[in-house]
Amino acid sequence: MATDASRDIDDLMAENRKFPPPKDFVKNTLVAGTFLYDEANEDYESFWARQAAELVSWDTPWDTICEWNLPFAKWFVGGKLNVSYNCLDRHVLAGNGDRKAILWEGEPGDTRVLTYAELLDEVCKFANALKSLGVERGDRVNIYLPMIPEAAVAMLACARIGAAHSVVFGGFSAQALADRINDASAKVLITADGGYRRGEVFPLKPQADEAVANTTSIEHVVVVKRGGNAVSMTPGRDHWYHDLMSGASNDCPAEPMDSEQLLFLLYTSGTTGKPKGIMHTTGGYLTHVTYTHKYVFDLHPEKDVYWCTADVGWVTGHSYIVYGPLANGATQVMYEGVPNFPANDRIWSIVEKYKVSIFYTAPTAIRTYMKWGIEEPAKHDLSSLRLLGSVGEPINPEAWIWYQENIGGGRCPIVDTWWQTETGGIMISPLPGATTTKPGSATFPIPGVHAEVVNDAGEPITHGGGYLTLTHPWPGMLRGIWGDPQRYKDTYWSTYEGKYFAGDGAKLDADGYLWLLGRVDDVMNVSGHRISTTEVESALVSHPSVAEAAVVGAKDDQTGQAIIAYVTLRGGATVDETDLRNHVAKEIGAIAKPKAVYFTPDLPKTRSGKIMRRLLRDVAEGRNLGDTTTLADQSVVAELQARAADHSED
Ligand code: WTA
């Protein structure tokens, strides 16, 4: 290996299993073959313009497809449209008002079904309610709700009247909510009394009250009744959702909005620093999510039942529960609760009950299901499934294979979709009827998207490890960070000149397939080799006893950093530390052999399910923990710290 190349991330793991699109799948797929890629390669702007014209309804056509003043983009400039019209009215006008839009399942087992006509009615009424509270075009509205249909109603009602929403995940604290309200200067907060989680009601309104006490911009609070828990209502400020709705008219014509009108802010904290209010606008974003939802999920809206298990508090919930699926007229399942209530087979019971055909979830969930064992999915008829998706983290090849065999019954293609809050929609993914997949690879940029893996110097490489960059603007791209254009430039556009740097390591294999290697902040440096956490974790997960693994580089006198592994075993399995260390050495080489392996029932994760390696590094180096506010379960790290202390006393 050239010494120079060793500064980049090493490429250690080779995965050669290949899965062409199953023949039965290809028979009815929207895209077999390369025609979309060919068209996009010819002229990507015209390609996107065709998607915008075909998939989205415009009140006024655009004059310019894309205006690009690096790093600021505008798409479909001069065009006018309404997002809620695209998600609702046009389906009703086309005669599909009776089609089911949302099949909602509450955690306790209660259910609601909303057709497109009913959803339109709700959205119009709530849009009028918001107007009656003084919300106007250009205002910001905060949403802090459980996974109930009102979350989608609230978002679409904002879009209908041109107010930007800022959704804050219901699991965040009062302080996190207050910070986000203040940054956005939101006028109205929409919340609920509480929601269900693990069989109990978790209160939201008290947190909302505490947050509002620390803000000055909120004039009104709307409260949806869901948990039935007692709440205090401040007269004049607080309003029950059902009271507002009972007096509201359902006549609220969708007003045309400028293509670049702010549709929403979504705060992302990344690993450090003040959360960033990521800005997404109207025409380009809607085009991107509608196009990707249709072609990546091969959606047949008249037949498919789609289910994305994300929460609306994350970008996946925005793009692939609310805007993409509804713009495409899809029928989808929405589930309120956790996957293990009342038992570990809840997800599979829902798939069976609603005959879900397209299922989109996260690797962290898949690894949890692996831990719970194949008996759980085996209790249910999952034969309705025809396509599986993954998002949020690199999916380890073994988790991919497990998903493919035990959930997909060997017949469903898997789309591993790479994207970010900042990209708005899917960027790198197979097209399920066209792409031969490899377990663990997100494969190729979708038609219309341009990605390059570059070395430290920013030069494109054709094979081996490096950094993932995006080289051309795309319709769903973030338009900036709310209130901080300089931070936008510095964060995303300053590492490699003229390119968007996503913060992820990636490699290209000999066939040109793209593999995500995890966040570059997590890359380890062992004796001068830059080793990706993802590859070592995948090697660990390829051991039949292992369900999940996280590795970090901890300071080491000899090697600079030493690899420390935290491992969760599959249900009932046992294995000893030496076997696992040797297994990694065999899979990817002695250089990547962990120095120590700790067994743990759980790993520290963010509330959106990403492993928090930074905390594990603190634990491994015996440091006090830094900021833990984004941690989902505080007890996990305390236990790991206790074990580390025990270990060092041994
Ligand atoms: C990671 C979620 C590997 C990546 C939509 C990215 C992935 C970050 C994948 C964005 C994938 C997402 N393979 N890594 N298929 N999808 N990531 O903003 O590190 O919550 O930068 O958006 O998740 O996370 P975010």
Side-chain angles (χ1 to χ4, degrees), residues 459-473:
E459 297 148 356
I461 57 173
T462 51
H463 67 276
Y467 309 93
L468 179 62
T469 64
L470 302 167
T471 57
H472 292 54

Side-chain angles (χ1 to χ4, degrees), residues 315-316 390-394 416-422 502 504 516 519 610:
V315 73
T316 308
S390 172
V391 60
E393 281 184 295
D416 173 11
T417 63
W418 178 88
W419 59 293
Q420 307 178 296
T421 304
E422 292 87 342
D504 285 324
L516 275 305
R519 305 291 301 168
K610 295 190 209 297

